[in-house]
Amino acid sequence: MLNIKPIFSSLLRSKSGPVLLLVQIILSVAIVANASFIIHERLEMMQRDSGINEEEVLTFSVFNFDPSIDGEQQNKIDQQILRGLPNVQAATSTNMLPLSGSGWSSTLNLGPDPETAKSTPQFAMYLGTEHTVKTLGLKLIEGRNFYADEINKSVNDPGKLAIISKAFGEAVWPGESAVGKLLYVDDEQLEVIGVVEKFQGAWVDSDELEYSVIHNVDFAGYSYMVRAEPGQHEALQDAITKALMKENPNRVIDDFQSVAEVKKRSYRDHELMITVLSMMVVLLLLITSLGLTGMVMFNIQRRTKQIGTRRALGATKGDILSLFLVENYLICLSGGVLGASLAVLLGQQLMKYYDLPQLNLIYPLMTVVGMMLVTTVAVVLPARKAANISPAMATRSV
């Protein structure tokens, strides 16, 4: 009914155009399928929940240049000033910023003997106070928060406590509650007193991104985090600068940014990759469509007499239209099958050399379907022009 045999014979009589188009479709399917897969994988990565109220947390740095400043005492005064400012819900010191790409990481032992005890996976090591959970908007799902009198001045002080992320707890003690469990720094104990639902570390490309530990230490360094409504951040920057400079003018207060901005900067390379791959996908589909349109228009000119003769012998406009559509589908399906196979092979190589997950077969299949839809649109317009060729034209030409 579809007259596939004569269409196939017609394609074989003029091989160069269809073969070049077939190769183009094969490469397009292979590249578009893998590019679409990478785009989706990157988008999912960027949309992961950090566990942090990213829009509300404002971070900044304080650089002290006066050697007479007592850093520890100044740190306490500064935090009290921050918590007393209007529109501030919570504030704390920190040794590192979430999702920033830099910070502290460590491992701990599951037993007191470092020679025989197993180690935990690598985790992001935050130093925080009793205000850290509230400042970041973390959800405490088990155990409790630090008490104010439990906050140490140094990581070497006794009485080490920790609040850990749920993912870290499940990785270290699968199927068990982490609260009350002990970790060891050499022969010193660190007790887990709380678990938060999610808390990402600093390195967005790390496999251990979800493994985080908050250690009960008020880090008298230079980084602070303040939680306030997003619309208040700009006004709050001025208020923070004025308040802290009034207390001690011999310093610089700088690097104001929300955690959302920090996160956006860390994912900038992924955003660029998504943009480039998206443009490449669009260009490949456009080039393939133009190739098919060009081939159909060429065939119309080359086969004008044939089309006119068919019309004179009773072929309807629909028959002529279906002639070119079937021709398109034959090329697309052949190229699609071969392109999907090439996409799988290409995906295996990307998985081998670039540590990407295995290509899901739905991507080559969806690419073939998408390619057929796009090329159908590209073929229909010139094919309709061919269908309008009058039978009289064949009579005049014969």
Side-chain angles (χ1 to χ4, degrees):
M1 183 174 67
L2 297 177
N3 297 319
I4 291 178
K5 188 175 179 180
I7 294 173
F8 192 69
S9 299
S10 173
L11 289 173
L12 290 179
R13 280 197 295 273
S14 178
K15 298 176 184 174
S16 57
V19 167
L20 287 174
L21 199 56
L22 182 69
V23 172
Q24 185 176 343
I25 291 174
I26 292 171
L27 294 175
S28 295
V29 170
I31 295 172
V32 170
N34 279 283
S36 302
F37 175 65
I38 293 172
I39 289 171
H40 184 256
E41 192 255 342
R42 289 292 184 272
L43 285 173
E44 279 195 332
M45 177 189 289
M46 293 171 63
Q47 292 169 355
R48 289 176 296 186
D49 179 15
S50 66
I52 303 165
N53 199 326
E54 300 162 7
E55 296 290 341
E56 293 189 355
V57 180
L58 179 67
T59 70
F60 65 95
S61 301
V62 176
F63 302 95
N64 291 310
F65 298 105
D66 187 348
S68 64
I69 290 179
D70 181 342
E72 185 181 312
Q73 187 62 27
Q74 187 67 62
N75 172 52
K76 291 183 181 298
I77 294 172
D78 288 345
Q79 290 187 65
Q80 289 175 352
I81 292 172
L82 292 172
R83 293 182 196 116
L85 292 173
N87 300 314
V88 171
Q89 301 177 38
T92 187
S93 63
T94 185
N95 62 320
M96 58 186 282
L97 301 181
L99 310 171
S100 64
S102 67
W104 296 18
S105 67
S106 183
T107 59
L108 293 170
N109 296 324
L110 299 180
D113 185 356
E115 297 295 329
T116 57
K118 290 183 178 179
S119 293
T120 67
Q122 195 88 8
F123 59 84
M125 182 175 170
Y126 291 90
L127 304 183
T129 68
E130 72 276 20
H131 301 281
T132 300
V133 170
K134 183 178 180 182
T135 302
L136 291 171
L138 304 177
K139 185 178 181 182
L140 192 65
I141 58 172
E142 194 176 358
R144 63 173 178 86
N145 194 4
F146 301 127
Y147 297 134
D149 59 1
E150 292 175 334
I151 304 302
N152 292 329
K153 299 176 183 177
S154 163
V155 292
N156 297 319
D157 290 346
K160 295 178 173 59
L161 302 175
I163 296 173
I164 66 174
S165 63
K166 180 182 176 184
F168 180 71
E170 290 178 343
V172 179
W173 302 286
E176 300 178 39
S177 170
V179 175
K181 293 286 194 301
L182 298 177
L183 295 168
Y184 292 85
V185 185
D186 294 329
D187 58 348
E188 295 183 32
Q189 294 181 353
L190 183 150
E191 181 184 356
V192 177
I193 63 166
V195 178
V196 291
E197 188 172 40
K198 287 188 75 67
F199 186 23
Q200 292 185 339
W203 303 273
V204 297
D205 294 324
S206 169
D207 292 337
E208 289 85 26
L209 177 65
E210 307 292 339
Y211 299 163
S212 297
V213 172
I214 308 172
H215 195 359
N216 59 326
V217 176
D218 189 356
F219 185 70
Y222 58 89
S223 291
Y224 294 90
M225 298 186 292
V226 174
R227 186 175 177 190
E229 294 296 326
Q232 302 295 330
H233 282 191
E234 188 171 348
L236 193 56
Q237 291 179 25
D238 293 335
I240 289 172
T241 303
K242 288 178 181 175
L244 295 186
M245 292 298 282
K246 182 180 178 182
E247 203 286 324
N248 189 331
N250 297 321
R251 50 189 176 168
V252 173
I253 297 150
D254 200 4
D255 292 340
F256 284 98
Q257 54 188 335
S258 68
V259 171
E261 292 170 328
V262 173
K263 179 180 181 180
K264 185 175 179 61
R265 189 178 64 241
S266 293
Y267 282 109
R268 190 170 295 163
D269 289 344
H270 297 286
E271 278 188 342
L272 178 62
M273 178 180 286
I274 289 171
T275 302
V276 171
L277 290 178
S278 299
M279 291 173 62
M280 188 175 71
V281 167
V282 172
L283 283 174
L284 280 173
L285 292 176
L286 182 63
I287 291 170
T288 304
S289 302
L290 289 175
L292 264 172
T293 303
M295 188 188 80
V296 172
M297 293 181 72
F298 174 74
N299 284 339
I300 289 171
Q301 290 183 346
R302 186 172 60 85
R303 293 152 64 181
T304 299
K305 287 194 295 183
Q306 179 191 358
I307 295 168
T309 303
R310 282 174 177 263
R311 294 279 287 124
L313 293 176
T316 63
K317 292 182 180 180
D319 293 333
I320 302 302
L321 187 63
S322 64
L323 170 72
F324 288 99
L325 286 175
V326 171
E327 197 172 272
N328 167 59
Y329 293 146
L330 280 175
I331 296 174
C332 271
L333 283 175
S334 304
V337 171
L338 295 173
S341 303
L342 182 60
V344 172
L345 293 175
L346 183 60
Q348 290 175 346
Q349 296 303 309
L350 291 174
M351 184 174 64
K352 180 178 178 182
Y353 291 107
Y354 296 100
D355 200 25
L356 289 173
Q358 186 174 6
L359 175 68
N360 192 322
L361 289 178
I362 192 67
Y363 287 91
L365 293 176
M366 291 303 295
T367 303
V368 173
V369 172
M371 189 73 73
M372 292 188 70
L373 291 174
V374 170
T375 55
T376 297
V377 174
V379 168
V380 162
L381 293 178
R384 288 181 64 182
K385 181 181 176 183
N388 288 327
I389 293 176
S390 168
M393 184 174 292
T395 306
R396 288 200 302 268
S397 305
V398 172

